[in-house]
Amino acid sequence: MQAAVIVFPGSNCDRDVAVSLAHIMGRPPLMVWHRDAQLPKVDLVVVPGGFSYGDYLRSGAMAAHSPILRSVKEAAAKGTRVLGICNGFQILTEAGLLPGALMRNRGLKFVCKDVHLSVLRADTDFTRRYRKHQVIRIPIAHADGNFFADDDTLERIEDNGQVAFRYVDEAGNLDDRANPNGSARAIAGLYNETATVLGLMPHPERLADPALGGTDGVPMFESLLEALS
Amino acid sequence: MKAKVHVTLKNGVLDPQGKAVGHALESLGFQGVGDVRVGKYIEIELAETDPAKAKAAVTDMGKQLLANTVIENFTVEIV
């Protein structure tokens, strides 16, 4: 399988995720500059974390209108898998590929720490190597991760099984103290309706090597490799 | 002509920044401070000379980029 990583001015996790992809998939991803109008033919597009365009106007707002995003949207419509991590999640919501919006954290602070997530579904191309309701530890590092959607949208995404991950405590229980940013229904990650696009605030690529202190991010990349090979 | 665009959070969307500003005003001793909401103000110079066309164009800008209509409302004033 072949992956591509989109690089914006201000991306800072593009190389981290490229290392994880190359290591786990055995082939380096193509690095695609935001001004390119045409995405190469790939199986997976990763929209990485960082501060694209300096977070001007709103996090992800400018990147969502960059030339490459038009091509990413077309590819997503045809079923190409798209993974947005942190700023990538913000960009995918701003681009309309995922519902809702990511607002300033409830506590107004940039939060950088490990959190626990519950894996809501283990039947998608992103999560098949996890177990349903498995609790995983993944780092977050963001100021704008407070997921918001109106009540109708929240009901719809719950009914459609679009919630990918929720913030939970270490034992896997929902607890407001385990919600680091005030996200509605503790949503940490979200699928589109066909579960072919995933956005999440936590960084699976940052715990994808024992040398980094953990490997709970590895199954996500293994899942994609297995599903798309 | 010039467009003045105000972007504000929709009612019902929590504004932690506004809340923090409200608390700060209270701690400065200002009395009777109610709900505080923080928004954005954007000025745009336009080549267009027809006010109606200018307003239509800037409204389109608001929907496409200046505001995230999931969480924000905006108003356009042409001067």
Side-chain angles (χ1 to χ4, degrees):
Chain A
M1 71 160 286
Q2 182 64 60
V5 177
I6 311 296
V7 184
F8 300 97
S11 293
N12 66 6
C13 302
D14 47 332
R15 281 177 284 178
D16 302 49
V17 80
V19 168
S20 294
L21 288 166
H23 183 65
I24 295 164
M25 303 191 168
R27 185 199 288 208
L30 303 171
M31 306 304 278
V32 180
W33 184 234
H34 70 116
R35 281 198 185 280
D36 292 356
Q38 190 58 48
L39 195 66
K41 196 171 158 32
V42 291
D43 308 295
L44 168 70
V45 178
V46 179
V47 187
F51 300 87
S52 57
Y53 299 88
D55 280 351
Y56 292 165
L57 195 63
R58 296 177 304 276
S59 298
M62 315 301 283
H65 298 284
S66 62
I68 194 62
L69 248 285
R70 200 167 300 139
S71 187
V72 171
K73 278 184 179 175
E74 285 168 11
K78 289 180 192 147
T80 302
R81 306 304 187 262
V82 180
L83 171 62
I85 300 169
C86 196
N87 188 221
F89 185 14
Q90 295 160 343
I91 292 167
L92 296 182
T93 59
E94 282 282 345
L97 279 169
L98 291 171
L102 292 147
M103 302 184 53
R104 182 55 44 92
N105 291 346
R106 171 170 57 183
L108 293 172
K109 290 200 173 79
F110 188 94
V111 180
C112 182
K113 64 176 185 182
D114 287 1
V115 296
H116 291 92
L117 306 178
S118 175
V119 180
L120 276 280
R121 290 178 63 177
D123 63 341
T124 75
D125 290 349
F126 299 89
T127 55
R128 53 162 76 188
R129 296 291 288 264
Y130 292 109
R131 294 185 317 277
K132 190 174 161 85
H133 300 312
Q134 184 178 343
V135 178
I136 59 174
R137 180 173 62 94
I138 303 277
I140 55 166
H142 61 249
D144 297 318
N146 180 355
F147 180 76
F148 175 88
D150 61 45
D151 289 337
D152 289 347
T153 306
L154 286 172
E155 286 306 320
R156 198 180 71 237
I157 61 183
E158 297 270 10
D159 290 349
N160 290 345
Q162 287 177 247
V163 179
F165 304 101
R166 275 191 233 276
Y167 300 108
V168 291
D169 65 17
E170 202 169 348
N173 299 312
L174 276 174
D175 180 341
D176 194 51
R177 285 168 299 180
N179 183 339
N181 50 32
S183 287
R185 305 196 184 187
I187 290 172
L190 196 63
Y191 295 110
N192 66 344
E193 285 184 17
T194 50
T196 50
V197 176
L198 169 65
L200 74 167
M201 289 312 297
H203 286 272
E205 80 281 13
R206 291 196 188 174
L207 274 189
D209 188 305
L212 298 174
T215 55
D216 280 1
V218 171
M220 183 175 294
F221 299 106
E222 288 178 343
S223 298
L224 287 161
L225 177 65
E226 188 179 278
L228 301 175
S229 286
Chain B
M1 49 186 38
K2 187 190 266 185
K4 298 182 170 184
V5 183
H6 282 92
V7 181
T8 50
L9 283 174
K10 285 183 175 174
N11 288 334
V13 176
L14 281 177
D15 180 5
Q17 203 176 181
K19 219 165 233 152
V21 171
H23 289 320
L25 290 173
E26 277 173 14
S27 68
L28 284 170
F30 289 100
Q31 305 284 316
V33 173
D35 201 20
V36 178
R37 312 278 283 170
V38 175
K40 293 190 187 94
Y41 169 66
I42 304 164
E43 283 187 352
I44 304 171
E45 295 283 352
L46 299 164
E48 179 61 58
T49 52
D50 178 341
K53 280 185 188 163
K55 185 158 188 176
V58 176
T59 301
D60 212 22
M61 293 177 200
K63 285 181 192 157
Q64 285 193 42
L65 179 66
L66 304 178
N68 179 340
T69 54
V70 173
I71 48 172
E72 294 168 329
N73 291 323
F74 67 94
T75 57
V76 178
E77 187 193 345
I78 302 292
V79 292

